[in-house]
């Protein structure tokens, strides 16, 4: 007998309070019982910022908070979506004519993205309908990818309804299209040298002063029109100067820190936590000074976290606001949370209003799963 899909798990729903509550709410909403449940975790980026679209790997971590969906396939071709949070209204549409309004970031559009993505990937013309009840405990706007978790959940829901085994699905990796411009990783790969050597190349080839449009054109031997049409993206068309040295130095040094972080985790020396924390601290300094994607509030929060016990703290996500991630020993966690609350949130009305959704601890969480009732 073939082994059961490792992405599926049979559970006694009555023994899991959240699943049981979701089952009861589903029954109250749709008058029926879910056939299965799908879970996808939120995630936080531990280290590796603004290097993925340059061709380098990062180190994310699944968190304990997640999105959970109760699902019942139906014989009609109607897709009915509901949410346990009354702030998110019900939505219904035909499963075979999905239209996503990109101008409105409504909650159900994220589900539709996962659903439609599976449909388009496999070239399916007719999909069965389903009733879905969504529940999430990922704090909104917390930088933990709640929207991505919902998209992943929806994709896994759709695959399960279609009876597709995840182990048989080939993942597609689509790199960004830079036309004739190489990603920074490709430059390193073509030169066949290490990241440390690429940093020396960066020091030698680029100067710290910002480059003007005209200087870039001279370096590349192209016209200003070619620069605008072949290299600059729509959101950089109005830029007049470019900090090539700073950005390249951040990308190559951050990519090296990711590999060092991985190596420390694998070797696990006695001072592992201290080493990982210092790499996180270096990452924040580079994001702040070289990539300039931090802001005063993030810098303040990072300093506070380090002051009260974090071995390492850095901005995470894109930056320019958002959130931080800190490496905190378990034995100081209660005092750490209390001190950060007092130093950063207490006394600031706007921060304090969001504090219960913004300051929390998590251990590494598990991956996406399908739950079947035993």
């Amino acid at each position: 007998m073939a082994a059961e899909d490792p992405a599926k798990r049979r559970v006694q729903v009555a023994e899991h309070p959240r699943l049981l509550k979701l089952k009861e709410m589903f029954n109250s909403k749709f008058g029926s019982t879910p056939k299965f449940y799908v879970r996808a975790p939120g995630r936080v980026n531990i280290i590796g910022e603004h290097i993925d679209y340059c061709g380098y790997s990062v180190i994310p971590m699944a968190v304990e908070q997640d999105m959970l969906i109760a699902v019942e396939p139906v014989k009609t071709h109607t897709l009915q979506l509901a949410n346990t949070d009354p702030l998110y209204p019900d939505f219904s549409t035909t499963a075979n004519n999905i239209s996503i309004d990109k101008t409105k970031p409504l909650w159900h559009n994220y589900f539709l993205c996962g659903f439609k993505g599976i449909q388009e990937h496999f070239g399916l013309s007719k999909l069965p309908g389903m009733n879905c009840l969504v529940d999430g405990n990922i704090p909104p706007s917390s930088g933990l990818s709640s929207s991505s978790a919902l998209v992943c959940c929806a994709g896994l829901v759709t695959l399960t309804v279609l009876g597709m085994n995840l182990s048989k699905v080939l993942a597609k990796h689509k790199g960004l299209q830079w036309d004739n411009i190489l990603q920074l990783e490709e430059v390193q790969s073509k030169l066949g040298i290490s990241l440390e050597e690429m940093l020396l190349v960066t020091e030698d080839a680029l100067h710290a002063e910002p480059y003007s449009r005209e200087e870039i054109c001279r370096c590349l031997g192209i016209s200003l029109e070619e620069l605008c049409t072949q290299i600059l993206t729509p959101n950089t068309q109005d830029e007049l100067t470019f900090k090539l040295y700073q950005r390249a130095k951040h990308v190559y040094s951050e990519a090296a820190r990711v590999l060092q972080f991985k190596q420390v985790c694998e070797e696990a020396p006695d001072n592992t936590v201290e080493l990982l924390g210092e790499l996180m601290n270096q990452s924040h300094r580079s994001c702040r000074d070289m990539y300039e994607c931090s802001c005063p509030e993030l810098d303040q929060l990072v300093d506070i976290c380090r002051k009260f016990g974090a071995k390492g703290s850095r901005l995470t996500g894109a930056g320019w606001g958002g959130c931080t991630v800190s490496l905190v020993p378990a034995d100081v966690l209660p005092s750490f949370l209390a001190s950060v609350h007092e130093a950063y949130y207490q006394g600031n009305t706007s921060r304090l209003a969001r504090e219960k959704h913004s300051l929390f601890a998590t251990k590494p969480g598990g991956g996406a799963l399908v739950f079947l009732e035993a």
Side-chain angles (χ1 to χ4, degrees):
M1 181 181 293
E4 187 170 280
D5 186 350
K8 292 182 179 180
R9 181 179 300 170
R10 293 193 175 275
V11 296
Q12 295 286 348
V13 171
E15 297 177 1
H16 297 267
R18 190 167 165 221
L19 282 177
L20 180 60
K21 182 179 179 181
L22 188 60
K23 178 180 178 179
E24 292 170 348
M25 293 181 70
F26 188 99
N27 183 269
S28 176
K29 182 72 178 179
F30 297 109
S32 54
T33 302
K35 293 298 183 290
F36 62 90
Y37 306 81
V38 169
R39 180 249 184 199
R43 65 113 180 110
V44 64
N45 208 21
I46 300 297
I47 194 167
E49 223 60 74
H50 290 287
I51 63 173
D52 47 355
Y53 52 81
C54 295
Y56 290 104
S57 298
V58 304
I59 297 182
M61 181 190 83
V63 297
E64 294 173 312
Q65 294 84 353
D66 58 21
M67 303 297 296
L68 189 62
I69 304 181
V71 187
E72 177 196 24
V74 295
K75 294 181 179 180
T76 67
H77 294 287
T78 300
L79 178 62
Q80 294 194 79
L81 305 177
N83 200 300
T84 59
D85 189 333
L87 289 176
Y88 304 112
D90 295 355
F91 177 80
S92 179
T93 186
T94 173
N96 295 316
N97 187 26
I98 298 294
S99 177
I100 302 173
D101 187 350
K102 298 179 182 179
T103 65
K104 297 179 180 180
L106 300 173
W107 79 271
H108 60 258
N109 283 342
Y110 296 101
F111 186 100
L112 296 181
C113 284
F115 185 88
K116 191 174 179 65
I118 296 298
Q119 183 183 35
E120 293 180 349
H121 181 88
F122 292 102
L124 305 173
S125 58
K126 291 184 179 181
L127 288 179
M130 62 183 88
N131 297 329
C132 298
L133 180 60
V134 178
D135 179 64
N137 59 11
I138 304 173
S141 303
S142 63
L144 294 178
S145 300
S146 58
S147 56
S148 296
L150 181 52
V151 173
C152 290
C153 235
L156 188 49
V157 164
T158 309
L159 286 170
T160 305
V161 168
L162 294 171
M164 292 182 170
N165 189 315
L166 276 182
S167 63
K168 298 179 181 178
V169 178
L170 296 177
K172 281 188 176 180
H173 173 71
K174 298 181 179 179
L176 294 178
Q177 297 299 317
W178 292 91
D179 295 327
N180 296 323
I181 303 303
L182 295 174
Q183 292 181 332
L184 289 177
E185 187 279 332
E186 292 179 285
V187 178
Q188 179 202 353
S189 179
K190 287 182 179 294
L191 291 176
I193 60 178
S194 69
L195 285 164
E196 289 72 18
E197 290 171 311
M198 275 308 308
L199 283 168
L200 296 177
V201 171
T202 300
E203 296 281 352
D204 181 62
L206 302 174
H207 55 67
E209 295 75 25
Y211 285 72
S212 67
R213 288 184 171 212
E214 291 73 19
E215 186 176 6
I216 291 177
C217 289
R218 289 196 299 272
C219 290
L220 298 179
I222 60 175
S223 67
L224 185 59
E225 181 182 1
E226 289 173 313
L227 175 70
C228 294
T229 58
Q230 296 181 22
I231 297 179
L232 297 185
T233 57
N235 62 332
T236 58
Q237 289 290 329
D238 296 328
E239 295 294 326
L240 299 178
T241 59
F242 303 85
K243 296 184 179 181
L244 304 184
Y245 166 82
Q246 290 85 347
R247 307 311 185 237
K249 187 170 183 179
H250 167 75
V251 169
Y252 289 128
S253 65
E254 185 77 346
R257 281 187 288 272
V258 168
L259 296 180
Q260 293 165 20
F261 198 99
K262 177 175 180 288
Q263 183 178 2
V264 171
C265 289
E266 291 173 342
E267 296 178 353
D270 292 340
N271 59 339
T272 290
V273 175
E274 287 73 18
L275 292 174
L276 297 181
E278 178 53 30
L279 288 169
M280 292 173 69
N281 293 337
Q282 291 175 14
S283 173
H284 183 77
R285 288 194 290 271
S286 184
C287 286
R288 181 191 65 199
D289 301 335
M290 294 291 101
Y291 213 83
E292 297 180 277
C293 59
S294 189
C295 65
E297 293 82 1
L298 279 177
D299 295 337
Q300 179 192 9
L301 185 55
V302 163
D303 289 341
I304 289 172
C305 290
R306 293 174 186 165
K307 177 181 178 181
F308 292 113
K311 298 298 184 180
S313 187
R314 59 180 293 277
L315 67 83
T316 188
W320 295 291
C323 63
T324 64
V325 57
S326 298
L327 186 62
V328 183
D331 59 344
V332 303
L333 184 58
S335 62
F336 171 83
L337 293 173
S339 298
V340 173
H341 167 82
E342 181 178 356
Y344 189 77
Y345 292 96
Q346 195 71 39
N348 186 304
T349 305
S350 62
R351 291 177 185 172
L352 193 60
R354 299 190 298 270
E355 184 261 346
K356 68 177 181 179
H357 295 301
S358 302
L359 178 63
F360 52 88
T362 178
K363 295 179 179 179
L369 280 174
V370 176
F371 295 112
L372 303 174
E373 188 161 7

